[in-house]
Amino acid sequence: MINKIEFSAKNLTSNAGLFLLLEHANKAGVFDLIDNDLVFDNTSTNKIKMNHIKTMLCGNFVGIDKLERLKLLQSDPLINEFAISIKEPETVSRFLGNFSYKTTQMLREINFKVFRKLLRKNKLKSITIDIDSSVVNVEGHQEGAVKGYNPKKLGNNCYNLQFAFCDEIKAYLTGYVRSGDTYTSNGTSEMIKEIMAYLKDEGLEITFRMDSGYFDEDILETIGSFGCTYVIKGKEYSTLVAQVTNPSIVFVTGEEGRETAELTAALNTWDKARRFVVSRVLKDEKDRKQLSFLEGEEYNYFFFVTNTGLSSVEVVEFYVL
């Protein structure tokens, strides 16, 4: 016989995971940095900023996507234990309205300071920075949200987010929100310059890794100007395909039927030739049934432009990982 279990303790909470996250942020000095380095012009706003920022952090930690759902945390004993007073959504919204370009930039600088602390704690000598973008669907007519590439809900307004992460410590470096119709690589060179301005004195070997949306010579030039390396997935342009389907190109067979080769090529709009690593795999049998007179048509090709010293196999593995 199973006895009936009654949960009657006053301090039970479904958000117990917040304890470790808030403790970690506190010990890492995140709250001290925000308290000292984020300064609003309005004195009264400065007095309430930490409470509202901690509120937003808690909401983010538990996956709240609308301010209205902050009410779910208002009576949580764990939140109260950290002296966080969850206000009404309208009050939080008014506080967020106090942010300007100046204070937003302060937050970005705080984030870089936290990132540098993590780097030094882990004593890393080399890092990989992944730059990517993501679409955020919105309902309604929020400022800056327009129709663009939105695979989550076709035809809806959206934002296009661009962000950078450090692969080794799984840490966020920087990012910003763009209008939904922004092309993937727009502003990437400026983001790289910003990152390097903050990391130039850290003595790191930095490799940037990006997908084909960032296959742009301006980005390659920017990375190279800082003495950094890159592995960026290329686009399947006809000039590249024509070269790798030439019988003179020698492919080396690797694991799982993947073959790799190298070539040096310059696109029509590029100022100079660059090193390309080419990977190919056989198409599915059903896709190979249709015979072709062209050599190499039975393969899918993948291009990577790089200036690293990695072998062709290592370049492919580095990108995939």
Side-chain angles (χ1 to χ4, degrees):
M1 180 178 179
I2 300 176
N3 294 323
K4 183 179 180 181
I5 301 174
E6 292 184 4
F7 294 95
S8 56
K10 294 181 179 179
N11 291 328
L12 284 175
T13 173
S14 60
N15 299 312
L18 280 174
F19 177 80
L20 293 176
L21 293 167
L22 289 169
E23 278 286 287
H24 177 71
N26 190 42
K27 289 180 179 178
V30 175
F31 296 145
D32 288 337
L33 278 171
I34 294 174
D35 199 20
N36 294 326
D37 294 1
L38 178 62
V39 182
F40 291 90
D41 294 331
N42 188 302
T43 304
S44 61
T45 305
N46 271 320
K47 290 180 180 179
I48 63 173
K49 67 183 178 185
M50 288 308 302
N51 183 70
H52 286 310
I53 287 173
K54 288 179 180 179
T55 294
M56 294 302 297
L57 281 174
C58 290
N60 182 63
F61 286 155
V62 300
I64 287 175
D65 59 350
K66 296 179 181 178
L67 289 180
E68 187 67 26
R69 291 176 182 165
L70 286 173
K71 291 181 177 180
L72 299 173
L73 299 176
Q74 283 181 331
S75 58
D76 194 296
L78 179 63
I79 303 296
N80 296 332
E81 191 68 26
F82 276 89
I84 302 171
S85 175
I86 307 292
K87 304 300 182 182
E88 289 297 309
E90 295 79 8
T91 305
V92 179
S93 180
R94 282 196 298 273
F95 164 73
L96 294 176
N98 288 297
F99 274 92
S100 62
Y101 175 82
K102 177 182 175 182
T103 45
T104 301
Q105 191 62 29
M106 288 178 185
L107 272 182
R108 290 166 63 84
E109 291 173 359
I110 290 168
N111 188 79
F112 273 112
K113 289 179 180 179
V114 173
F115 179 74
R116 285 202 299 263
K117 289 180 69 173
L118 289 173
L119 277 180
R120 292 165 186 171
K121 181 179 179 181
N122 286 274
K123 299 178 180 179
L124 296 173
K125 299 299 182 183
S126 62
I127 60 172
T128 303
I129 296 178
D130 292 305
I131 296 180
D132 204 351
S133 63
S134 179
V135 172
V136 176
N137 177 65
V138 300
E139 302 292 342
H141 302 282
Q142 289 84 345
E143 183 179 357
V146 298
K147 290 183 180 179
Y149 173 68
N150 186 355
K152 299 178 181 179
K153 202 161 186 182
L154 298 177
N156 258 35
N157 288 350
C158 62
Y159 292 114
N160 187 298
L161 277 59
Q162 178 148 277
F163 43 81
F165 278 87
C166 175
D167 181 58
E168 285 74 13
I169 55 177
K170 311 303 179 189
Y172 170 83
L173 275 85
T174 187
Y176 46 83
V177 179
R178 308 179 293 182
S179 60
D181 58 352
T182 305
Y183 183 69
T184 303
S185 63
N186 283 9
T188 305
S189 290
E190 287 68 28
M191 174 183 275
I192 293 168
K193 292 173 184 176
E194 180 188 37
I195 291 171
M196 295 309 300
Y198 282 99
L199 300 184
K200 63 182 180 181
D201 298 326
E202 298 299 318
L204 293 165
E205 293 180 5
I206 300 175
T207 301
F208 287 89
R209 180 169 53 190
M210 295 169 244
D211 64 23
S212 59
Y214 300 91
F215 185 54
D216 181 89
E217 190 178 30
D218 184 47
I219 293 174
L220 305 182
E221 288 287 346
T222 301
I223 296 172
S225 69
F226 290 104
C228 299
T229 54
Y230 53 79
V231 175
I232 300 178
K233 190 175 182 182
K235 294 183 178 178
E236 203 171 332
Y237 291 130
S238 57
T239 51
L240 294 175
V241 175
Q243 292 191 53
V244 298
T245 54
N246 190 305
S248 64
I249 295 291
V250 178
F251 280 86
V252 179
T253 303
E255 296 180 359
E256 300 179 357
R258 185 178 292 275
E259 300 178 348
T260 57
E262 290 194 27
L263 59 96
T264 302
L267 300 183
N268 295 334
T269 57
W270 287 13
D271 292 331
K272 62 181 181 181
R274 300 180 186 273
R275 179 193 176 201
F276 281 86
V277 170
V278 188
S279 174
R280 72 180 186 183
V281 293
L282 275 173
K283 295 179 180 178
D284 292 336
E285 188 176 353
K286 61 183 179 62
D287 296 326
R288 284 185 277 134
K289 287 181 179 180
Q290 181 65 41
L291 298 178
S292 173
F293 293 107
L294 298 177
E295 183 72 25
E297 280 290 301
E298 68 273 23
Y299 292 96
N300 286 317
Y301 291 91
F302 305 91
F303 298 88
F304 305 92
V305 62
T306 183
N307 63 344
T308 65
L310 299 174
S311 69
S312 57
V313 174
E314 289 172 333
V315 166
V316 176
E317 289 177 348
F318 175 79
Y319 182 84
V320 172
L321 292 175

